[in-house]
Amino acid sequence: MSLADLSSTLWRIREMMDLLLFKLEEEQLVLAAGKTRWLPHATREVEMVLEQIRKTEILRAAQVDAVAAELGLPPAPSLQALAAATDAPWSELFQQHRIAFLKITAEITAMAELNKELLTAGARAVHEALMDVTGSVTTYGRTGETVGASRSSRLVNEAM
């Protein structure tokens, strides 16, 4: 296994992670616009990219183990360990991959959390709207118990 093959796989994963970030941002725009009709499509696209990343990660793990064996490293070394065990330009390239993965992972995590918050807020709004239509809206009191809400605390317009 060559270092070039491993680096090529790492580049593909980076591109897929960029695509994942894009798909998560699309999902966020759908959520923010309230276009719930398109949410299943956006979510399916996120899942498709995640599946591609999983498959490529299996290849990457095998390549890393092969390169590690050639370099005399234990199985599954980190990119930092690979960079330390190789000479330039590979050491610099593996460090660049490492930094890029840390950055894109942080961005993906933040975007996924924001999407989760938007989904939770949307689900809460739908629940409250349905409860208002049925005439029994409940909220939480100061100690966490559920209590009936007063007419003034409803979020849905009475004209609904």
Side-chain angles (χ1 to χ4, degrees):
M1 184 57 52
S2 75
L3 295 172
D5 292 335
L6 175 57
S7 182
S8 177
T9 300
L10 293 172
W11 278 111
R12 276 197 311 251
I13 293 172
R14 283 174 62 177
E15 289 170 353
M16 284 187 266
M17 290 179 78
D18 278 338
L19 180 59
L20 176 60
L21 183 59
F22 171 72
K23 292 299 180 183
L24 286 169
E25 193 160 340
E26 275 185 334
E27 186 179 58
Q28 181 187 77
L29 292 171
V30 167
L31 288 166
K35 304 289 186 178
T36 56
R37 171 184 178 193
W38 303 116
L39 189 57
H41 295 291
T43 302
R44 188 174 323 110
E45 288 178 352
V46 168
E47 290 169 355
M48 288 169 44
V49 174
L50 284 170
E51 183 59 29
Q52 289 175 341
I53 291 172
R54 278 188 213 92
K55 289 177 181 176
T56 308
E57 274 294 310
I58 293 168
L59 173 63
R60 183 213 47 87
Q63 289 176 332
V64 166
D65 284 347
V67 166
E70 290 175 12
L71 296 173
L73 295 172
S78 66
L79 284 174
Q80 192 165 356
L82 286 174
T86 56
D87 296 325
W90 298 110
S91 60
E92 295 158 9
L93 187 57
F94 288 135
Q95 281 295 348
Q96 290 172 2
H97 281 307
R98 179 181 175 276
I99 291 166
F101 282 127
L102 291 172
K103 181 181 179 224
I104 192 75
T105 300
E107 290 178 47
I108 288 170
T109 301
M111 185 69 65
E113 283 298 316
L114 185 54
N115 288 2
K116 181 180 173 183
E117 290 173 17
L118 287 171
L119 280 168
T120 302
R124 190 177 317 115
V126 167
H127 174 73
E128 290 174 0
L130 289 173
M131 295 300 285
D132 191 49
V133 169
T134 63
S136 59
V137 176
T138 57
T139 61
Y140 292 101
R142 282 190 274 204
T143 59
E145 79 282 0
T146 56
V147 295
S150 68
R151 198 114 176 106
S152 64
S153 66
R154 293 186 181 167
L155 299 176
V156 179
N157 187 333
E158 292 294 328
M160 188 174 119

